[in-house]
């Protein structure tokens, strides 16, 4: 089964405190990326969510991309197309998996 992330973006949608960010993740990000895309709750860090999706997600006309792909945190890297996390995210967004 082929999954095209650029027409999907499903795993970048979620609730507040959806993706935890560690100190190691933070080190990979530039200062502007940290300011734009990371939020703090108590002493824990998360990706900032805006309108139900990660603030770093660029979504336009059914085309999706990550504004900090090279510096995305570890949990994002673990979601491989076709993985259980991917399928769950797609199901949550009610996307068809027949492509
Ligand atoms: S990993 Fe899966 S859920 Fe995430 S963008 Fe790619 S196809 Fe969509
Ligand atoms: S950092 Fe990139 S890959 Fe991770 S949730 Fe945000 S937009 Fe998606």
């Amino acid at each position: 089964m082929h999954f095209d992330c650029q027409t999907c973006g499903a795993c970048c949608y979620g609730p507040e405190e959806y993706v935890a960010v560690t100190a190691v993740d933070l080190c990979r990000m530039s200062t502007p990326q940290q300011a734009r895309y990371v939020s703090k709750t108590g002493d824990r860090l998360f990706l900032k969510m805006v309108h139900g999706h990660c603030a770093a997600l660029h979504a336009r006309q059914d085309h999706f991309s990550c504004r900090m792909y090279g510096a995305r945190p570890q949990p994002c890297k673990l979601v491989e197309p076709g993985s259980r996390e991917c399928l769950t995210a797609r199901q949550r967004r009610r996307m068809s998996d027949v492509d």
Side-chain angles (χ1 to χ4, degrees), residues 67-80:
R67 288 187 174 103
M68 59 166 179
Y69 189 77
R72 69 199 189 288
Q74 191 64 14
C76 302
K77 293 181 180 176
L78 294 177
V79 186
E80 296 278 349

Side-chain angles (χ1 to χ4, degrees), residues 9 11-13 18-19 29 37 47-49 53-58 65-69 71-73 75-77:
C11 57
C12 304
Y13 284 76
Y18 177 54
V19 181
M29 298 177 197
Y37 305 134
L47 288 180
K48 207 177 277 181
M49 305 301 283
H53 62 73
C54 172
L57 180 69
H58 181 68
S65 59
C66 175
R67 288 187 174 103
M68 59 166 179
Y69 189 77
R72 69 199 189 288
C76 302
K77 293 181 180 176

Side-chain angles (χ1 to χ4, degrees), residues 40-62:
K40 198 170 182 186
T41 305
D43 59 355
R44 301 180 65 202
L45 300 172
F46 298 92
L47 288 180
K48 207 177 277 181
M49 305 301 283
V50 180
H51 306 306
H53 62 73
C54 172
L57 180 69
H58 181 68
R60 181 170 292 177
Q61 292 172 344
D62 293 328

Side-chain angles (χ1 to χ4, degrees), residues 2-18:
H2 175 69
F3 295 95
D4 180 8
C5 294
Q6 296 199 325
T7 59
C8 173
C11 57
C12 304
Y13 284 76
E16 294 298 316
E17 303 182 5
Y18 177 54

